Amino acid sequence: GNSVTQMEGPVTLSEEAFLTINCTYTATGYPSLFWYVQYPGEGLQLLLKATKADDKGSNKGFEATYRKETTSFHLEKGSVQVSDSAVYFCALTSNTGGFKTIFGAGTRLFVKA
Amino acid sequence: GAGVSQSPRYKVAKRGQDVALRCDPISGHVSLFWYQQALGQGPEFLTYFQNEAQLDKSGLPSDRFFAERPEGSVSTLKIQRTQQEDSAVYLCASSDTTLRGSSPLHFGNGTRLTVT
């Protein structure tokens, strides 16, 4: 079946550090890939998405590239801020998986001033 | 416009009680999903509606769980004879298109269920 694996947290960084959160997936068909973010006290919200191989999703300084050859969708940001502290979820939706979105376990990010 | 609204935000139930959790999706959104999120974990799929039709209920953990969306808008997730392992946050999400995996989900803030 379809699945998503992302690096365990927590990840603790100083402000302005470079961020990478690894995500790999297993899926049949041609999945769409997503990163969702959950800020403290708030609901899950879409951060970025990519719908086909080699697409790059970007938003708020975050980027992720859909790599079909390595089945990966790693999240990166060049300079994190304290306000980026949150839990980040990698997810996929496959058109052969009944259109349900499958989530990874989440990676908690702490950014220190 | 308003986002996805869930009620109640918190629910405490004694073991064996029945509970009903409500979801009001974004107006006009055809697709509606229910997820269960345990502490420190990602959301786990429970069930999916397209309008009033329940197209996938493969994630419902037992026959104590039942979901409905009779008019294709508001949905209710019902859990009968609650058990301690049902304690979790129940998330509702809606999406504005059908049969397209590229549409993102819009989540409510969830209902935190604690079974004592």
Side-chain angles (χ1 to χ4, degrees):
Chain A
N2 299 336
S3 66
V4 174
T5 302
Q6 59 182 108
M7 64 188 285
E8 288 190 24
V11 173
T12 303
L13 296 173
S14 296
E15 212 165 19
E16 299 183 4
F18 184 85
L19 168 71
T20 300
I21 300 178
N22 290 336
C23 171
T24 57
Y25 67 89
T26 302
T28 56
Y30 301 93
S32 294
L33 303 177
F34 304 84
W35 278 98
Y36 285 83
V37 59
Q38 188 168 31
Y39 297 104
E42 298 184 19
L44 273 157
Q45 57 186 275
L46 178 70
L47 179 60
L48 53 84
K49 71 174 187 180
T51 58
K52 60 184 189 295
D54 299 324
D55 266 2
K56 178 186 284 188
S58 61
N59 185 26
K60 299 182 181 181
F62 290 88
E63 293 182 339
T65 301
Y66 189 141
R67 301 282 189 206
K68 195 165 176 63
E69 64 276 13
T70 54
T71 62
S72 65
F73 192 55
H74 304 321
L75 182 68
E76 296 183 335
K77 187 174 185 182
S79 176
V80 293
Q81 305 300 312
V82 172
S83 57
D84 294 327
S85 298
V87 183
Y88 293 82
F89 294 91
C90 186
L92 73 82
T93 306
S94 172
N95 55 359
T96 62
F99 304 102
K100 55 180 176 274
T101 301
I102 305 297
F103 288 84
T107 302
R108 183 175 293 277
L109 170 67
F110 292 104
V111 180
K112 303 178 297 184
Chain B
V4 177
S5 176
Q6 291 187 247
S7 61
R9 281 299 306 275
Y10 304 93
K11 176 69 178 177
V12 178
K14 289 192 185 336
R15 191 162 58 94
Q17 282 185 333
D18 297 349
V19 298
L21 312 180
R22 177 188 168 103
C23 173
D24 213 327
I26 293 173
S27 177
H29 276 196
V30 173
S31 300
L32 185 146
F33 300 79
W34 283 98
Y35 285 82
Q36 182 189 60
Q37 187 176 21
L39 191 63
Q41 299 297 315
E44 295 284 341
F45 171 81
L46 293 177
T47 187
Y48 160 58
F49 290 86
Q50 183 179 314
N51 295 308
E52 68 279 4
Q54 189 173 20
L55 298 187
D56 187 342
K57 54 182 181 179
S58 62
L60 295 176
S62 77
D63 58 7
R64 296 186 295 104
F65 287 70
F66 171 77
E68 60 183 6
R69 194 187 185 197
E71 297 177 0
S73 178
V74 170
S75 177
T76 304
L77 176 67
K78 297 179 180 178
I79 309 173
Q80 297 177 324
R81 304 181 304 281
T82 52
Q83 304 294 317
Q84 284 196 313
E85 61 263 28
D86 300 335
S87 296
V89 176
Y90 290 86
L91 298 172
C92 176
S94 67
S95 175
D96 63 355
T97 57
T98 64
L99 300 181
R100 286 179 57 194
S102 61
S103 297
L105 300 178
H106 300 264
F107 281 89
N109 284 337
T111 294
R112 182 180 296 278
L113 173 65
T114 303
V115 182
T116 61

